[in-house]
DNA sequence: TGTACATCAGTGAACGCGCGTTCACTGATGTAC
DNA sequence: TGTACATCAGTGAACGCGCGTTCACTGATGTAC
């Protein structure tokens, strides 16, 4: 009541220099003509939020704005629905998964058994190292998007098909050299894929359970579900993935 | 302005009998002294919403109110957070899963191989018949609830332990009668559990994929992951679950 | 070389909406006397 | 038996908040002449 100062909205430097510089990173705007870069920044921001929270419902357009330091009207020109953002996050993550599977396959060329393990382990490693990213990819429903006419709108479907194809290809080669007794390569690959998914998804959801060593269990699971010859497994090239096999925690 | 009638709030029947009876089911209130029944109605309503939408974020306290025909202040006396409601839905569903697994086990007493298949199939059938319920159970993170002091608040953990124990018990018996060569029953049961989870979860999330016959794949998966003797599987009692084995769709 | 104008990448304030929550209330059922 | 009161199961209106969206704007960069 005493020193009511008449609201004075700007009043820039009454108590010294405000010095907000280094505390607020203060995003600088994109260069002239490159406004579309904001689209990628939005997806980056949403990915960061998902990695942090693991919760799709924490993705709101406004939350992404706060994350990347931009105001809500900016994002509205690119997205009108948080689900669109999440869809793009998912397809980008799926693309990265396919790439790392392809790299693992490439790195073990000529050794089908090592190749099979490496490709599977690429999925497993992604899921174990980044459970929240993995969740977003595989727990999202309607992962195939349908448009109004009933067609599948799909950037994601071919990514999955390609990824799965790497598994099928490796097991096919294993059968060709007599390392696997599989008589239904497709179905067995589906079984392995589902098995790995469960091995990643369940332990990251149920943390009170006394899980055994999952790395070993993965190898056992792959060997059994694909009908691999244990001798062939034993003689396969061993450090089967690009990444260090079991990053000590 | 002309015929301002002094607000007259009730003004019950000015334009004939309103006749809203059969159009609005108009929930009738719980009897005197039984207000706590509303708690169960709330969980029923939330379960119905989840079964319909499969989406946790469609559970809001107000949505549940609309579902069961009650106003928001009523629910506030029982729950202040939608997550509490979902937690109770999850533990009830987990209890039902355990019960149906126990029933399947009981029904196949004396035949460990049939028992093992039946117990696993109880989980599988639940997941395939009610994918949305299944999702809610197993895709919920922090399924073990932690209270402020770091202790596990758990109605759910023992339910999972008991359910899993039925699998372990069946496989242990299989080993005892020489039907399985498993040398690590616990780990193999974890593998089967994860495998079944993947076999339920992935196909219900990725619907564009040309999934093979999953019923057969489940049997193959169980047989291989638990080291069951194929001969023992062939001679096991066959209609292994209480429910009809594969309800024609 | 200027200078007027167009285009661009955003901002700031305001909106309507659904959410969880509050507060005082209503009307039916039980209970003391 | 009646009557006053207490308890119960809710309701109805209003609130503050975060959301997505709108509208007019700002200031920097490019372009025509």
């Amino acid at each position: 009541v005493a020193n009511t100062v008449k609201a004075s909205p700007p009043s820039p430097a009454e108590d010294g220099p405000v010095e907000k510089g280094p505390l607020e990173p203060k995003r600088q705007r994109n260069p002239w003509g490159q406004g579309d870069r904001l689209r990628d920044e939005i997806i980056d921001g949403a990915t960061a939020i998902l990695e942090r929270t693991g919760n799709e419902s924490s993705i709101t357009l406004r939350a992404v704005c706060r994350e990347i330091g931009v105001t809500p009207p900016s994002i509205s020109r690119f997205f009108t629905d948080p689900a669109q953002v999440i869809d793009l996050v998912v397809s980008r993550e799926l693309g990265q998964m396919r790439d790392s599977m392809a790299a693992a396959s490439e790195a073990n060329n000529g050794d089908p058994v090592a190749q099979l393990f490496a490709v599977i382990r690429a999925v497993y490693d992604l899921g174990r190292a980044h459970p929240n990213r993995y969740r977003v990819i595989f727990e999202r429903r309607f992962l195939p998007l349908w448009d109004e006419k009933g067609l599948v709108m799909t950037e994601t479907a071919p990514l999955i098909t390609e990824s799965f194809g790497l598994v099928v290809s490796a097991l096919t080669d294993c059968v060709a050299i007599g390392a696997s007794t599989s008589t239904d390569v497709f179905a067995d690959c589906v079984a392995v894929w589902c098995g790995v998914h469960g091995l990643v998804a369940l332990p990251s959801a149920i943390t009170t359970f006394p899980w055994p060593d999952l790395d070993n269990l993965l190898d056992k699971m792959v060997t059994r579900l694909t009908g691999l010859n244990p001798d062939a497994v034993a003689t396969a090239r061993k450090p089967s993935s690009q990444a260090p096999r079991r990053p000590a925690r």
Side-chain angles (χ1 to χ4, degrees), chain A:
Chain A
V1 182
N3 57 357
T4 320
V5 217
K6 203 188 165 195
S8 70
S11 172
E14 274 196 347
D15 44 355
V18 186
E19 197 72 73
K20 65 161 72 166
L23 293 177
E24 295 186 8
K26 197 55 180 174
R27 166 184 189 272
Q28 61 192 16
R29 68 171 55 192
N30 282 314
W32 202 95
Q34 318 232 16
D36 283 353
R37 284 193 194 172
L38 184 54
R39 186 184 209 86
D40 288 325
E41 295 181 54
I42 291 166
I43 301 173
D44 289 341
T47 305
I49 295 174
L50 284 171
E51 171 107 36
R52 213 161 53 227
T53 69
N55 188 352
E56 283 191 19
S57 71
S58 61
I59 295 288
T60 65
L61 297 184
R62 285 185 108 109
V64 174
C65 286
R66 286 189 295 270
E67 180 77 18
I68 64 178
V70 127
T71 57
S74 306
I75 208 175
S76 281
R77 282 206 304 249
F78 297 96
F79 301 99
T80 62
D81 184 346
Q84 296 174 355
V85 181
I86 299 177
D87 285 339
L88 287 186
V89 172
V90 167
S91 44
R92 205 169 65 171
E93 293 291 323
L94 268 181
Q96 290 174 5
M97 187 186 76
R98 179 206 49 191
D99 292 346
S100 71
M101 290 174 75
S105 177
E106 200 66 35
N108 290 276
N109 233 335
D111 186 342
V113 175
Q115 207 171 27
L116 179 59
F117 277 97
V119 167
I120 296 288
R121 188 161 285 272
V123 178
Y124 175 84
D125 285 341
L126 166 64
R128 299 287 291 170
H130 301 283
N132 285 342
R133 284 194 208 173
Y134 185 90
R135 281 174 59 83
V136 173
I137 299 177
F138 286 111
E139 295 186 358
R140 183 151 181 75
R141 284 179 324 143
F142 308 135
L143 195 124
L145 311 171
W146 306 86
D147 67 10
E148 307 76 29
K149 305 182 190 86
L151 300 173
V152 181
M153 288 184 47
T154 179
E155 304 192 52
T156 59
L159 291 174
I160 290 181
T161 306
E162 290 172 35
S163 303
F164 186 73
L166 293 169
V167 182
V168 172
S169 163
L171 182 54
T172 303
D173 292 349
C174 288
V175 173
I177 65 168
S180 162
T181 61
S182 172
T183 57
D184 187 343
V185 167
F186 182 78
D188 289 344
C189 285
V190 168
V192 185
W193 186 22
C194 291
V196 176
H197 175 69
L199 214 55
V200 168
L202 268 195
S204 87
I206 306 175
T207 57
T208 45
F209 193 82
W211 299 101
D213 183 293
L214 298 175
D215 281 56
N216 289 340
L217 198 53
L218 174 67
D219 289 344
K220 201 192 218 179
M221 196 180 225
V222 173
T223 303
R224 288 185 172 177
L225 288 180
T226 58
L228 278 180
N229 180 340
D231 297 340
V233 173
T235 60
R237 202 187 309 153
K238 248 333 189 184
S240 51
S241 163
Q242 287 191 311
R245 169 89 191 273
R246 195 183 314 174
R249 40 175 319 192

